[in-house]
Structures are given as structure tokens and as C-alpha cells.
Amino acid sequence: MTGTTDAGAPADAEALRSRALEALTTARARTALLTDSVEDDELTAQHSPLMSPLVWDLAHIGNQEEQWLWREVAGRKALRPEIDPLYDAFAHPRSERPSLPLLSPGEARAYTADVRTRVLDVLAGARMEGRPLLDAGFAFGMIAQHEQQHDETMLITHQLRTGPAVLTAPPPPVHPSGPLPEEVLVPSGPFTMGTSDEPWALDNERPAHIRTVAAFHIDTVPVTNGSYLAFMADGGYADRRWWHPDGWAQIREHGVTAPLFWRQEAGQWLRRRFGVTEPVPEEEPVVHVSWYEADAYARWAGRRLPTEAEWEKAARHDPVSGRSRRYPWGDADPGPDHANLGQRHLGPARAGSYPAGASPLGVRQLIGDVWEWTASDFLPYPGFRPFPYKEYSEVFFGPEYKVLRGGSFAVDAVACRGTFRNWDYPVRRQIFAGFRTARSAELD
């Protein structure tokens, strides 16, 4: 890791401190929104056995910040070492966390605020070089990303909770456009996958390496609710032909017949989103589907899910220059015209939105709106090295997890790049995941 700006020029310490301060402040404001919007009894409740109580996430955010920035970076004495085991994500499964002697909402708020005050003093005098953890302010960027990732987790908990709406946001913008092609051809050839010089990239995104991908077609936009409804109307959930054996067993065991949070009433499909029930909008990308559901739809449509390498080539490769961009639109950080990120809106924009965020080949909404399932297992890149700890990525490598790419409306820009990799079990449906399909060009 090197202390460089996005353009590759040396970055001065003040600029790096400013960037880190903005990222940390943005994350904390979002954390406050998600935890101050409900009463204390809802913070301590477990709204689903799949998720932690919100108060656990809140204190865990502070504990990770204390461990990495106060203790590791500043070299200072631990503030609350006795709570470390309570907020170790590997020590206790989510279903057991409500029974732990957790900090109360008031104690959790006071603890995270105290840690943040101390960390800002550390940041003010920190050198942004000298060791890998500090180069380009990596440790501060890592913690900002960690908090935003837990903010997304807490937003999922908000979606799972019952009761009236407590979160509000304006609807996504509408970007009128003419008809778009159903798919885009991505030519064959090599491209650079991953990164070796993105300052705040995490270990599983590294190192940059060359991949050769055969020509393929990929959907111009994510699969929509309307298209998914056609799969459902054609008996997609009742036809074993389309399903992976494990997926077929899962939907039969649990009686799954539609995306999570959908229900049919008087012949109309409705969805519940953050406490509001409304008709399913056919023009939006489908969300809250598992990998198995995405894979079954793709088979039904005579297509397949793209591999992770195909997805990244579609998102980053510029066929004119031959280089890989940071984002589909170029190297500039995401702005509100590029992508639906940062919980500015509480759902995806209609398919075909954000023309300013299109890739060089014209593929849209590769960043933001919905996480996109890929066909690939979560595996290390050639030359992978764990950093700064094995538990971030290495322990998850293997066929149990499928890769998701691109981020969603619930992801902040600091935790979303053209190289960013997410992963989850193929059964997961509560996450803000959708998909797009692909087909090999050799089949033309």
C-alpha cells in the first residue's frame, strides 16, 4: 500500500487526515440515524435470529475502533478489555448474542462516543506512513468501512423488524431514457482484475492480476421485478428443472414461493419495505432473493449468472485504453449522479437509471442499487496475503460462500469499489441482493 491520491500523485498527510475524518464522520452520523430512530427496547430486542440486536452492532463498532485505532495505531492502554469477548463476532453466533451481558443502549452510546473522541485526537497527529497499517491512512479507512458495513447490517435489521416505519428518505431520482438493449457484448481478452494500489482496498481485493475472459453477453440492467414475476407466473418455483439440488431442497423445506417480504393479496403482489407495504414495482431491480433463486431464474431464462471475473470486466475494463478503471464511469469517486449509494434512498432506482454511471460498454447500475450474485465461490486471488488479520477474509474462502459484487443502495461509497468483494451463503435472502444474467458469446 502506498500513500497516493486517486490520480497516483503522492498524497500529503493533511489530505489523508481530511479524507479519513470525513469517512469516519459520515459513518458515525449514519450509525446515529439507525440507532436513534428506535426506542431502547427495540435496540436490545432481537428482530430476527439471523441478526444481532442493534445495540450489539453499536458497541461492536466502538470496540473495533478502540482495538485498531486506540490500541494498535496509538499504542494506548485498552479502555474496556473486559468487553472484548462480548463483541468478538467469531466468539458468539448472532442467535446467542441477546443472552450476553451486553452494554445497555446508554452505555453503548457513551462508550462509542468516548472512543471516537480519543480516536480523533489520534488522527490529528497520526503519521500516514511508516508501517502498512498507517500507509495512506489505511487503518482509519478500514474502520470507516467496518462501521459502514455494520450500518448496512443494521439497515437489514430495520427491514426485518415489524411495526410502523421509522426511517424515511426521498425516492431515487428518475432518469428518463430511450429503450436500452437487453444485453451488452463484452469482448474476449485479458484485463486487470483486482488492485495493488487502491489505498483503502481490503486484502481480498489484492493483488492486481491478469485474467483472460472469453467473450460474453451480460444484461444491460439488473433483472427487474417484472421479469422475475414472469418466472414466478411460469411456475418457476414449482419446476425442479431450474434449481440447484440444494436450492430445490431449501425452497421445498421452507415453502419459498416468492422473494422475501413479498405476499400476494387479492391477486396482486405486495412487498413490505421498512414498515411500508406497497405494490411490487415492476420496473425496479428485484431484491431479497437468494443465490439459488437467482441461479434458477437464469436457467429458466436460458442464461446463467456471470462469473466474478466477467462481472468485474464488464464493470471496469475500458476496451479503448485497455486499462481497468476504479469504477464503471472512470476513476472519480462516486457522486449522486453515478450511483444509488449511501442510504440516500431506501430502495433501488428503476432499472436503466444513472446513465452517468454506465460502463464504457454501456452496462448500467453495476455500482449501487442491489448487490449482484455471481456464479463464483469466494476464493483468494493469486498472491493473496492476509492483512491485517486472517479473520477478515481468509477464514471464509471456500465453496460455502458465493461472491456478490457492486454494492447496493445500503452501501456507502467508502465500502464500495469496482474491485470490492462481498460474500455470503447462497441461502441468504435478507440481504439487499439481486442479480443480472449472462450468456457465453460462443453460443451465438
Side-chain angles (χ1 to χ4, degrees), residues 37 70 131 196:
S37 56
W70 180 248
R131 54 184 174 131
S196 294

Side-chain angles (χ1 to χ4, degrees), residues 71-90:
R71 303 183 200 174
E72 184 67 27
V73 170
R76 306 297 291 272
K77 184 179 178 181
L79 302 175
R80 298 288 301 270
E82 76 281 4
I83 69 171
D84 290 356
L86 299 177
Y87 298 101
D88 182 342
F90 290 89

Side-chain angles (χ1 to χ4, degrees), residues 356-437:
S359 75
L361 294 172
V363 188
R364 297 201 183 185
Q365 290 167 286
L366 286 157
I367 299 293
D369 286 305
V370 292
W371 285 107
E372 298 186 14
W373 289 110
T374 73
S376 299
D377 297 336
F378 184 49
L379 299 172
Y381 290 159
F384 167 83
R385 292 184 179 182
F387 177 79
Y389 58 104
K390 291 184 177 182
E391 288 78 11
Y392 183 76
S393 301
E394 189 173 46
V395 297
F396 297 101
F397 290 143
E400 296 88 356
Y401 297 93
K402 293 295 184 181
V403 174
L404 302 104
R405 299 299 296 263
S408 73
F409 67 90
V411 176
D412 188 80
V414 75
C416 185
R417 293 170 286 278
T419 58
F420 193 92
R421 308 174 74 196
N422 190 9
W423 64 94
D424 215 327
Y425 292 113
V427 299
R428 288 289 187 250
R429 307 175 78 222
Q430 80 274 17
I431 61 178
F432 301 112
F435 63 100
R436 72 181 74 214
T437 68

Side-chain angles (χ1 to χ4, degrees), residues 49-67:
L50 296 171
M51 310 303 291
S52 307
L54 291 168
V55 74
W56 185 93
D57 288 287
L58 175 60
H60 172 76
I61 286 168
N63 186 248
Q64 287 292 291
E65 188 166 319
E66 184 202 339
Q67 290 193 48

Side-chain angles (χ1 to χ4, degrees), residues 96-148:
E96 296 179 2
R97 291 171 188 172
S99 64
L100 300 174
L102 303 176
L103 299 182
S104 70
E107 291 170 329
R109 289 189 178 100
Y111 170 62
T112 56
D114 180 37
V115 172
R116 176 53 57 89
T117 298
R118 295 168 186 266
V119 161
L120 293 183
D121 287 340
V122 173
L123 175 61
R127 294 184 60 193
M128 297 300 187
E129 58 184 1
R131 54 184 174 131
L133 199 60
L134 278 177
D135 284 351
F138 175 81
F140 298 96
M142 178 184 72
I143 288 300
Q145 292 178 79
H146 174 265
E147 182 162 354
Q148 287 286 4

Side-chain angles (χ1 to χ4, degrees), residues 176-322:
S177 64
L180 296 172
E182 290 187 4
E183 61 182 9
V184 169
L185 173 64
V186 180
S188 63
F191 83 105
T192 301
M193 186 172 185
T195 181
S196 294
D197 54 14
E198 181 74 31
W200 289 357
L202 303 171
D203 59 1
N204 62 65
E205 301 171 65
R206 301 172 179 274
H209 57 286
I210 301 299
R211 290 282 183 98
T212 298
V213 176
F216 66 99
H217 298 271
I218 192 167
D219 290 339
T220 304
V221 300
V223 170
T224 63
N225 290 324
S227 295
Y228 200 83
L229 282 165
F231 164 69
M232 294 166 57
D234 196 41
Y237 279 93
D239 195 331
R240 188 172 190 160
R241 288 179 298 165
W242 314 128
W243 293 85
H244 185 285
D246 293 342
W248 180 252
Q250 194 262 343
I251 68 165
R252 302 299 286 180
E253 178 183 354
H254 297 283
V256 175
T257 59
L260 189 60
F261 308 115
W262 286 28
R263 75 172 191 267
Q264 195 171 30
E265 190 174 289
Q268 183 182 34
W269 282 101
L270 306 175
R271 72 172 181 197
R272 179 175 60 82
R273 175 165 292 168
F274 301 112
V276 176
T277 298
E278 59 190 6
V280 171
E282 294 194 11
E283 69 280 3
E284 281 187 14
V286 67
V287 64
H288 296 303
V289 290
S290 69
W291 183 90
Y292 292 124
E293 290 169 289
D295 178 65
Y297 173 95
R299 293 171 188 266
W300 169 82
R303 298 168 70 83
R304 57 178 174 79
L305 296 179
T307 66
E308 183 181 14
E310 287 174 334
W311 189 97
E312 187 166 327
K313 184 172 185 180
R316 298 185 63 215
H317 181 64
D318 183 348
V320 175
S321 67

